Amino acid sequence: MPVLKKIALTITSAALLSGFVLSPAVAADKDKSDDKQPKPPSTMSSLGGEQLGKAGTQVNLGAGAPVLPKKLSGRSWIVADAESGDVLAAHNAHWRLPPASTLKMLFADTVLPALQPTQTHTVSESELAGVGEGSSLVGIKEDHTYTVHDLWLGVFLRSGNDAVHVLSEMYGGLPQTVAAMQKHAEELQALDTVVVSPDGYDAPRQVSSAYDLTLIARSGMQKKDFREYAATASADFPGEKKKGKRRESFEIQNTNRLITGDIGVDPYQGIAGVKNGYTTHAGNTFTGVAERNGKVLLVTVMNPSAEESHAVYKEAAHLLDWGFSASGKVTPVGQLVPPKSLDTGISTGGKGAAPAADQGTGGQAKAAHASAASKGSSGVGVALAIIGGLLVVVAAGVFLVNRRWPVRGLGSRPAPAADAPEADAPEADAPEADGPEAKDSGATADVVPAAEPAAPAAEDAGKPADKS
């Protein structure tokens, strides 16, 4: 009997011991998994509304409002009404994170008005020397001549850092461009944004937020040329000039998969831009704008952790679907503030500034291909036509952005003159990224065209190569 009792005690002790040993191990594995995802800072900006300064998901559902999509993995995201500025829902809206090539929206909004589309420029070797290693390229060649229009197509469609660097030199040089971008960000009240490189290539301290990128996109979409470039699905780009032969061109396609579609991603009905990106430290980022039944929404998603391919586009599409269904059934959690120079009298905005008036020559539509593929979608490529309620046909029943939407408080005020670039960058208390530490490496996975193999191609789904 004592022997049996002893055996029973031994078995019981072993079972208890294994429980004590295994339980902490399981907990440690769970904690280790959780630790892989950086946590948002406890204190963030509350610009636009108190709820926007809070960590986590912010939404005020009303009667009949649909619940938010499940399994949203973005570190930060926002859904907003482009016209009223109402923020319908947000998640860590002011979390300062590396922006990748979505920062090119600020570059375009700053520089585009200063350069005429028909202006030509012959590229020098020095202008391409500073392009970051592994950057996405459109395929610009030194000693070749391009129009400003060509270069902007390279920026918007292929996210070409080579095109950004050439346009920056035309604007006055990289330091002047960065300084002007920072000044413009401050004018737009995009105060989470610190600009270090105009192309979004990873750089120490370079950050933005879902809130800021949405403000920037809203400003850019006031400009006709910006809208047309952002909505263009494909275009012809000048190729290499060979002696004794006529210069040929090659086709480039927009890397925004909600415009062009891809395996596992359908073109989004009503999409009209804006910009996607990827860097090692930013992960995938995306800001998009879409119109449905007269409602125009903006969405930004930053760094989704989901491992499925094209997660950033899928989550953006789910949020857009939710936003269109929830519009009018939710109480806004905040507002997109107006720029500083415009006094709107809105309490959340205070004093803010109007985006530049509808600018541009409209020449983009002539050279560009259809603004979006129509595969499996009757409204793909339908772009915004808010003022006047009209859409303009440019090719095969596909539409381009033709009107800018009214921004609350603008009324019929005259547009301010475009900001001239400044020689010295403004001093800024540039914060470190709250997400992964930014390093001067990595770049957005916006691939180069196969016809001009200027750099190795990379998929912007899954785990793309370092591109910008």
Side-chain angles (χ1 to χ4, degrees):
M1 188 68 180
V3 174
L4 292 175
K5 186 175 182 181
K6 192 173 183 179
I7 293 173
L9 288 172
T10 301
I11 293 172
T12 303
S13 298
L16 289 172
L17 180 60
S18 65
F20 286 130
V21 171
L22 291 175
S23 295
V26 172
D29 286 343
K30 184 177 185 301
D31 291 341
K32 184 177 179 182
S33 176
D34 291 343
D35 287 344
K36 290 180 180 179
Q37 295 302 320
K39 301 296 188 291
S42 57
T43 302
M44 293 182 285
S45 169
S46 59
L47 182 66
E50 184 179 348
Q51 274 191 268
L52 297 179
K54 296 179 179 179
T57 302
Q58 306 300 317
V59 63
N60 302 324
L61 298 177
V67 297
L68 282 165
K70 297 180 179 179
K71 297 182 180 180
L72 294 174
S73 67
R75 289 184 184 171
S76 176
W77 53 258
I78 192 170
V79 186
D81 187 304
E83 295 181 272
S84 69
D86 290 342
V87 177
L88 306 183
H91 179 78
N92 302 324
H94 282 289
W95 191 356
R96 292 172 169 175
L97 297 165
S101 279
T102 47
L103 194 65
K104 287 183 173 77
M105 295 187 297
L106 178 61
F107 170 72
D109 197 35
T110 303
V111 175
L112 199 155
L115 303 174
Q116 291 298 314
T118 55
Q119 185 177 344
T120 60
H121 180 77
T122 301
V123 178
S124 67
E125 181 180 1
S126 62
E127 291 171 342
L128 300 177
V131 177
E133 183 180 355
S135 288
S136 56
L137 308 171
V138 67
I140 291 172
K141 306 293 185 183
E142 62 183 82
D143 300 324
H144 282 58
T145 300
Y146 301 86
T147 65
V148 167
H149 170 66
D150 295 331
L151 296 171
W152 281 121
L153 286 172
V155 171
F156 276 86
L157 274 65
R158 303 306 302 171
S159 204
N161 285 8
D162 46 0
V164 171
H165 278 245
V166 173
L167 287 165
S168 295
E169 290 300 325
M170 295 179 70
Y171 188 72
L174 288 176
Q176 277 187 244
T177 303
V178 168
M181 288 171 66
Q182 189 68 59
K183 180 181 178 181
H184 189 49
E186 292 165 3
E187 159 65 12
L188 296 178
Q189 299 203 67
L191 304 181
D192 298 324
T193 300
V194 177
V195 184
V196 179
S197 64
D199 49 22
Y201 191 86
D202 278 337
R205 303 194 308 170
Q206 181 156 271
V207 290
S208 190
S209 67
Y211 184 85
D212 280 14
L213 293 173
T214 307
L215 285 182
I216 292 164
R218 192 185 191 211
S219 175
M221 293 295 285
Q222 306 298 314
K223 300 175 176 65
K224 182 178 180 181
D225 285 357
F226 186 107
R227 293 195 303 274
E228 291 181 348
Y229 287 126
T232 300
S234 64
D236 292 328
F237 193 82
E240 186 175 0
K241 177 71 170 70
K242 296 180 180 180
K243 189 175 181 179
K245 294 185 178 180
R246 181 181 178 182
R247 187 176 185 181
E248 296 181 352
S249 63
F250 57 93
E251 185 179 86
I252 57 176
Q253 291 189 334
N254 201 318
T255 55
N256 178 348
R257 303 306 181 194
L258 291 191
I259 288 180
T260 59
D262 201 358
I263 298 173
V265 179
D266 292 327
Y268 190 83
Q269 184 175 354
I271 193 70
V274 176
K275 191 71 188 77
N276 57 297
Y278 173 85
T279 67
T280 303
H281 299 287
N284 287 289
T285 60
F286 176 70
T287 297
V289 63
E291 181 270 344
R292 187 177 296 173
N293 298 324
K295 180 67 67 176
V296 187
L297 297 182
L298 282 160
V299 62
T300 295
V301 177
M302 301 185 76
N303 202 346
S305 60
E307 294 185 359
E308 66 173 330
S309 89
H310 299 312
V312 74
Y313 301 108
K314 293 175 181 178
E315 293 188 19
H318 292 327
L319 284 168
L320 284 169
D321 285 343
W322 175 86
F324 287 122
S325 297
S327 181
K329 302 174 185 176
V330 296
T331 301
V333 297
Q335 279 278 321
L336 298 177
V337 296
K340 283 183 180 177
S341 61
L342 178 66
D343 184 3
T344 66
I346 300 173
S347 60
T348 53
K351 294 201 178 275
D358 212 350
Q359 305 178 45
T361 62
Q364 289 80 345
K366 297 178 182 178
H369 290 230
S371 65
S374 57
K375 181 180 178 181
S377 174
S378 60
V380 175
V382 177
L384 314 177
I386 305 306
I387 296 178
L390 299 176
L391 295 173
V392 174
V393 179
V394 294
V398 182
F399 303 103
L400 277 181
V401 178
N402 186 57
R403 298 284 197 275
R404 68 188 180 110
W405 61 72
V407 174
R408 181 183 295 174
L410 283 182
S412 58
R413 292 171 181 261
D419 290 335
E422 294 189 354
D424 300 319
E427 293 185 3
D429 184 14
E432 293 290 343
D434 293 310
E437 182 183 357
K439 295 181 181 178
D440 197 7
S441 64
T444 45
D446 301 327
V447 298
V448 295
E452 285 284 318
E459 282 296 324
D460 61 355
K463 296 186 180 300
D466 289 349
K467 301 287 173 186
S468 179

